[in-house]
Amino acid sequence: MMLLKKKKPGRKIEEISLGEKLTLTEKMEDKELLLYLGLTNDANPLYIQHDYASQTPFKKPLVPAIMLAGIVTSAVSKYIPGPGSYILSQEMSYPRPVYHEQTITFFFEVTSINIEQNRVEISVTAKNEQEESVLMGKLLIIPPSFEKQNTHVFTDPF
């Protein structure tokens, strides 16, 4: 079990602005890839075996799409809206593969705010160094909300 310092809650829906943007850049390093594969016990040779990948149309080992999705969900947890957020739904597509050691830039934008339902929609795209899209998606998020006693209020998300 990890012990963490008490985190400050993310922003409430009233503190989020329509059109708000966030940009993150991540390098897809082998050490993170191997850690992910070890934790998930994912032994797909397309992710780690250069000899195998060289025989495929991709020619080189790929970064698993779920790792890219993990960067997206981490951004929600850290920044927009931040700690205490809950992802109600997500849709993502991966039009191009991502290779080891590539640098990927993620672009987030708040596209809809529903104060009555405490929902925020965020669109996300990601591009490689050649400015090619490698991820497109949208997320529906419940930002943190607290009563006066600072207890979490979670309305039925459905």
Side-chain angles (χ1 to χ4, degrees):
M1 180 162 95
M2 262 165 101
L3 299 177
L4 300 173
K5 290 183 180 180
K6 188 174 182 180
K7 293 249 184 215
K8 180 181 173 189
R11 292 178 293 143
K12 296 178 187 176
I13 197 162
E14 297 84 8
E15 301 169 314
I16 300 167
S17 303
L18 189 63
E20 185 175 327
K21 293 180 168 88
L22 170 71
T23 302
L24 295 174
T25 302
E26 296 281 340
K27 186 167 184 182
M28 303 292 112
E29 296 190 40
D30 284 346
K31 63 182 179 178
E32 282 85 12
L33 177 69
L34 293 172
L35 180 61
Y36 162 80
L37 294 172
L39 289 171
T40 60
N41 199 26
D42 187 344
N44 185 341
L46 188 56
Y47 300 148
I48 52 176
Q49 293 180 9
H50 290 267
D51 290 346
Y52 179 89
S54 70
Q55 298 173 47
T56 72
F58 302 108
K59 301 297 180 203
K60 302 185 283 187
L62 302 181
V63 172
I66 195 69
M67 281 188 65
L68 301 174
I71 293 168
V72 170
T73 60
S74 177
V76 169
S77 296
K78 291 178 184 176
Y79 308 112
I80 231 178
S85 299
Y86 176 76
I87 297 174
L88 189 58
S89 68
Q90 59 187 10
E91 296 174 23
M92 288 193 221
S93 62
Y94 308 91
R96 285 189 174 21
V98 173
Y99 299 99
H100 296 207
E101 303 301 322
Q102 276 190 310
T103 299
I104 305 300
T105 304
F106 295 81
F107 304 94
F108 299 82
E109 182 176 359
V110 175
T111 54
S112 174
I113 299 173
N114 185 325
I115 291 176
E116 293 78 31
Q117 292 186 345
N118 194 39
R119 305 287 190 270
V120 175
E121 186 177 275
I122 296 177
S123 69
V124 59
T125 58
K127 295 185 177 189
N128 61 21
E129 297 104 330
Q130 293 76 37
E131 294 294 314
E132 299 167 322
S133 291
V134 296
L135 178 147
M136 295 181 292
K138 67 179 181 177
L139 302 108
L140 185 60
I141 298 162
I142 300 174
S145 60
F146 297 86
E147 291 181 355
K148 290 178 185 172
Q149 294 83 21
N150 203 29
T151 58
H152 188 70
V153 176
F154 188 81
T155 58
D156 184 0
F158 308 100

PDB file of all heavy atoms in Angstrom, residues 49-66:
ATOM      1  N   GLN A  49       9.196  -7.283 -28.538  1.00  0.00           N
ATOM      2  CA  GLN A  49      10.173  -8.073 -29.295  1.00  0.00           C
ATOM      3  C   GLN A  49      10.452  -7.436 -30.654  1.00  0.00           C
ATOM      4  O   GLN A  49       9.610  -7.436 -31.548  1.00  0.00           O
ATOM      5  CB  GLN A  49       9.659  -9.505 -29.485  1.00  0.00           C
ATOM      6  CG  GLN A  49       9.574 -10.270 -28.191  1.00  0.00           C
ATOM      7  CD  GLN A  49       9.058 -11.689 -28.404  1.00  0.00           C
ATOM      8  OE1 GLN A  49       8.921 -12.153 -29.528  1.00  0.00           O
ATOM      9  NE2 GLN A  49       8.790 -12.371 -27.295  1.00  0.00           N
ATOM     10  N   HIS A  50      11.662  -6.915 -30.783  1.00  0.00           N
ATOM     11  CA  HIS A  50      12.054  -6.251 -32.024  1.00  0.00           C
ATOM     12  C   HIS A  50      12.024  -7.208 -33.212  1.00  0.00           C
ATOM     13  O   HIS A  50      11.583  -6.825 -34.304  1.00  0.00           O
ATOM     14  CB  HIS A  50      13.445  -5.612 -31.875  1.00  0.00           C
ATOM     15  CG  HIS A  50      13.432  -4.440 -30.960  1.00  0.00           C
ATOM     16  ND1 HIS A  50      13.256  -3.151 -31.386  1.00  0.00           N
ATOM     17  CD2 HIS A  50      13.560  -4.364 -29.598  1.00  0.00           C
ATOM     18  CE1 HIS A  50      13.271  -2.329 -30.358  1.00  0.00           C
ATOM     19  NE2 HIS A  50      13.464  -3.040 -29.252  1.00  0.00           N
ATOM     20  N   ASP A  51      12.482  -8.444 -33.023  1.00  0.00           N
ATOM     21  CA  ASP A  51      12.478  -9.419 -34.126  1.00  0.00           C
ATOM     22  C   ASP A  51      11.052  -9.693 -34.598  1.00  0.00           C
ATOM     23  O   ASP A  51      10.785  -9.746 -35.798  1.00  0.00           O
ATOM     24  CB  ASP A  51      13.135 -10.730 -33.695  1.00  0.00           C
ATOM     25  CG  ASP A  51      14.631 -10.596 -33.510  1.00  0.00           C
ATOM     26  OD1 ASP A  51      15.192  -9.578 -33.969  1.00  0.00           O
ATOM     27  OD2 ASP A  51      15.229 -11.494 -32.894  1.00  0.00           O
ATOM     28  N   TYR A  52      10.148  -9.883 -33.642  1.00  0.00           N
ATOM     29  CA  TYR A  52       8.746 -10.139 -33.991  1.00  0.00           C
ATOM     30  C   TYR A  52       8.154  -8.920 -34.712  1.00  0.00           C
ATOM     31  O   TYR A  52       7.548  -9.051 -35.773  1.00  0.00           O
ATOM     32  CB  TYR A  52       7.934 -10.465 -32.731  1.00  0.00           C
ATOM     33  CG  TYR A  52       6.473 -10.705 -33.028  1.00  0.00           C
ATOM     34  CD1 TYR A  52       6.021 -11.977 -33.344  1.00  0.00           C
ATOM     35  CD2 TYR A  52       5.556  -9.662 -33.011  1.00  0.00           C
ATOM     36  CE1 TYR A  52       4.698 -12.209 -33.638  1.00  0.00           C
ATOM     37  CE2 TYR A  52       4.220  -9.881 -33.308  1.00  0.00           C
ATOM     38  CZ  TYR A  52       3.800 -11.157 -33.617  1.00  0.00           C
ATOM     39  OH  TYR A  52       2.483 -11.379 -33.918  1.00  0.00           O
ATOM     40  N   ALA A  53       8.308  -7.739 -34.119  1.00  0.00           N
ATOM     41  CA  ALA A  53       7.709  -6.527 -34.688  1.00  0.00           C
ATOM     42  C   ALA A  53       8.252  -6.228 -36.081  1.00  0.00           C
ATOM     43  O   ALA A  53       7.528  -5.714 -36.937  1.00  0.00           O
ATOM     44  CB  ALA A  53       7.945  -5.349 -33.761  1.00  0.00           C
ATOM     45  N   SER A  54       9.516  -6.571 -36.347  1.00  0.00           N
ATOM     46  CA  SER A  54      10.106  -6.301 -37.658  1.00  0.00           C
ATOM     47  C   SER A  54       9.424  -7.085 -38.776  1.00  0.00           C
ATOM     48  O   SER A  54       9.515  -6.712 -39.935  1.00  0.00           O
ATOM     49  CB  SER A  54      11.608  -6.593 -37.643  1.00  0.00           C
ATOM     50  OG  SER A  54      11.836  -7.989 -37.552  1.00  0.00           O
ATOM     51  N   GLN A  55       8.716  -8.150 -38.423  1.00  0.00           N
ATOM     52  CA  GLN A  55       8.017  -8.971 -39.410  1.00  0.00           C
ATOM     53  C   GLN A  55       6.572  -8.519 -39.622  1.00  0.00           C
ATOM     54  O   GLN A  55       5.864  -9.099 -40.440  1.00  0.00           O
ATOM     55  CB  GLN A  55       8.032 -10.431 -38.960  1.00  0.00           C
ATOM     56  CG  GLN A  55       9.428 -11.001 -38.848  1.00  0.00           C
ATOM     57  CD  GLN A  55       9.405 -12.382 -38.228  1.00  0.00           C
ATOM     58  OE1 GLN A  55       8.612 -13.223 -38.613  1.00  0.00           O
ATOM     59  NE2 GLN A  55      10.282 -12.604 -37.257  1.00  0.00           N
ATOM     60  N   THR A  56       6.148  -7.509 -38.904  1.00  0.00           N
ATOM     61  CA  THR A  56       4.779  -7.001 -39.018  1.00  0.00           C
ATOM     62  C   THR A  56       4.776  -5.733 -39.872  1.00  0.00           C
ATOM     63  O   THR A  56       5.842  -5.169 -40.155  1.00  0.00           O
ATOM     64  CB  THR A  56       4.200  -6.667 -37.627  1.00  0.00           C
ATOM     65  OG1 THR A  56       4.847  -5.483 -37.128  1.00  0.00           O
ATOM     66  CG2 THR A  56       4.361  -7.835 -36.654  1.00  0.00           C
ATOM     67  N   PRO A  57       3.614  -5.260 -40.260  1.00  0.00           N
ATOM     68  CA  PRO A  57       3.557  -3.991 -41.009  1.00  0.00           C
ATOM     69  C   PRO A  57       4.095  -2.798 -40.210  1.00  0.00           C
ATOM     70  O   PRO A  57       4.470  -1.787 -40.791  1.00  0.00           O
ATOM     71  CB  PRO A  57       2.059  -3.800 -41.281  1.00  0.00           C
ATOM     72  CG  PRO A  57       1.471  -5.161 -41.177  1.00  0.00           C
ATOM     73  CD  PRO A  57       2.295  -5.905 -40.170  1.00  0.00           C
ATOM     74  N   PHE A  58       4.180  -2.923 -38.883  1.00  0.00           N
ATOM     75  CA  PHE A  58       4.646  -1.816 -38.046  1.00  0.00           C
ATOM     76  C   PHE A  58       6.166  -1.682 -38.037  1.00  0.00           C
ATOM     77  O   PHE A  58       6.698  -0.623 -37.757  1.00  0.00           O
ATOM     78  CB  PHE A  58       4.127  -1.987 -36.611  1.00  0.00           C
ATOM     79  CG  PHE A  58       2.640  -2.069 -36.543  1.00  0.00           C
ATOM     80  CD1 PHE A  58       2.011  -3.269 -36.264  1.00  0.00           C
ATOM     81  CD2 PHE A  58       1.861  -0.949 -36.776  1.00  0.00           C
ATOM     82  CE1 PHE A  58       0.632  -3.353 -36.196  1.00  0.00           C
ATOM     83  CE2 PHE A  58       0.479  -1.014 -36.722  1.00  0.00           C
ATOM     84  CZ  PHE A  58      -0.132  -2.219 -36.433  1.00  0.00           C
ATOM     85  N   LYS A  59       6.888  -2.773 -38.268  1.00  0.00           N
ATOM     86  CA  LYS A  59       8.345  -2.833 -38.370  1.00  0.00           C
ATOM     87  C   LYS A  59       9.098  -2.637 -37.062  1.00  0.00           C
ATOM     88  O   LYS A  59      10.243  -3.017 -36.945  1.00  0.00           O
ATOM     89  CB  LYS A  59       8.884  -1.836 -39.408  1.00  0.00           C
ATOM     90  CG  LYS A  59       8.329  -2.053 -40.798  1.00  0.00           C
ATOM     91  CD  LYS A  59       8.732  -3.390 -41.341  1.00  0.00           C
ATOM     92  CE  LYS A  59       8.170  -3.613 -42.738  1.00  0.00           C
ATOM     93  NZ  LYS A  59       8.068  -5.014 -43.071  1.00  0.00           N
ATOM     94  N   LYS A  60       8.473  -1.987 -36.067  1.00  0.00           N
ATOM     95  CA  LYS A  60       9.117  -1.740 -34.780  1.00  0.00           C
ATOM     96  C   LYS A  60       8.095  -2.003 -33.667  1.00  0.00           C
ATOM     97  O   LYS A  60       6.894  -1.911 -33.908  1.00  0.00           O
ATOM     98  CB  LYS A  60       9.586  -0.282 -34.668  1.00  0.00           C
ATOM     99  CG  LYS A  60      10.544   0.158 -35.728  1.00  0.00           C
ATOM    100  CD  LYS A  60      11.051   1.571 -35.468  1.00  0.00           C
ATOM    101  CE  LYS A  60      10.011   2.592 -35.858  1.00  0.00           C
ATOM    102  NZ  LYS A  60      10.484   3.977 -35.796  1.00  0.00           N
ATOM    103  N   PRO A  61       8.572  -2.272 -32.445  1.00  0.00           N
ATOM    104  CA  PRO A  61       7.642  -2.471 -31.328  1.00  0.00           C
ATOM    105  C   PRO A  61       6.793  -1.223 -31.059  1.00  0.00           C
ATOM    106  O   PRO A  61       7.257  -0.093 -31.223  1.00  0.00           O
ATOM    107  CB  PRO A  61       8.554  -2.769 -30.132  1.00  0.00           C
ATOM    108  CG  PRO A  61       9.811  -3.281 -30.737  1.00  0.00           C
ATOM    109  CD  PRO A  61       9.957  -2.532 -32.033  1.00  0.00           C
ATOM    110  N   LEU A  62       5.551  -1.476 -30.667  1.00  0.00           N
ATOM    111  CA  LEU A  62       4.590  -0.411 -30.412  1.00  0.00           C
ATOM    112  C   LEU A  62       4.405  -0.150 -28.925  1.00  0.00           C
ATOM    113  O   LEU A  62       4.660  -1.013 -28.086  1.00  0.00           O
ATOM    114  CB  LEU A  62       3.220  -0.801 -30.984  1.00  0.00           C
ATOM    115  CG  LEU A  62       3.130  -1.111 -32.467  1.00  0.00           C
ATOM    116  CD1 LEU A  62       1.698  -1.444 -32.847  1.00  0.00           C
ATOM    117  CD2 LEU A  62       3.655   0.041 -33.290  1.00  0.00           C
ATOM    118  N   VAL A  63       3.892   1.023 -28.642  1.00  0.00           N
ATOM    119  CA  VAL A  63       3.433   1.371 -27.299  1.00  0.00           C
ATOM    120  C   VAL A  63       1.967   0.936 -27.229  1.00  0.00           C
ATOM    121  O   VAL A  63       1.185   1.269 -28.128  1.00  0.00           O
ATOM    122  CB  VAL A  63       3.560   2.889 -27.059  1.00  0.00           C
ATOM    123  CG1 VAL A  63       2.905   3.293 -25.752  1.00  0.00           C
ATOM    124  CG2 VAL A  63       5.025   3.313 -27.110  1.00  0.00           C
ATOM    125  N   PRO A  64       1.564   0.187 -26.201  1.00  0.00           N
ATOM    126  CA  PRO A  64       0.157  -0.223 -26.090  1.00  0.00           C
ATOM    127  C   PRO A  64      -0.772   0.985 -26.001  1.00  0.00           C
ATOM    128  O   PRO A  64      -0.472   1.964 -25.298  1.00  0.00           O
ATOM    129  CB  PRO A  64       0.110  -1.022 -24.786  1.00  0.00           C
ATOM    130  CG  PRO A  64       1.521  -1.401 -24.499  1.00  0.00           C
ATOM    131  CD  PRO A  64       2.376  -0.331 -25.103  1.00  0.00           C
ATOM    132  N   ALA A  65      -1.875   0.915 -26.695  1.00  0.00           N
ATOM    133  CA  ALA A  65      -2.845   2.014 -26.685  1.00  0.00           C
ATOM    134  C   ALA A  65      -3.305   2.339 -25.266  1.00  0.00           C
ATOM    135  O   ALA A  65      -3.531   3.507 -24.929  1.00  0.00           O
ATOM    136  CB  ALA A  65      -4.036   1.658 -27.571  1.00  0.00           C
ATOM    137  N   ILE A  66      -3.408   1.330 -24.423  1.00  0.00           N
ATOM    138  CA  ILE A  66      -3.874   1.557 -23.062  1.00  0.00           C
ATOM    139  C   ILE A  66      -2.895   2.433 -22.274  1.00  0.00           C
ATOM    140  O   ILE A  66      -3.303   3.149 -21.348  1.00  0.00           O
ATOM    141  CB  ILE A  66      -4.168   0.217 -22.342  1.00  0.00           C
ATOM    142  CG1 ILE A  66      -4.988   0.444 -21.072  1.00  0.00           C
ATOM    143  CG2 ILE A  66      -2.904  -0.523 -22.045  1.00  0.00           C
ATOM    144  CD1 ILE A  66      -6.393   0.889 -21.313  1.00  0.00           C
TER     145      ILE A  66
END
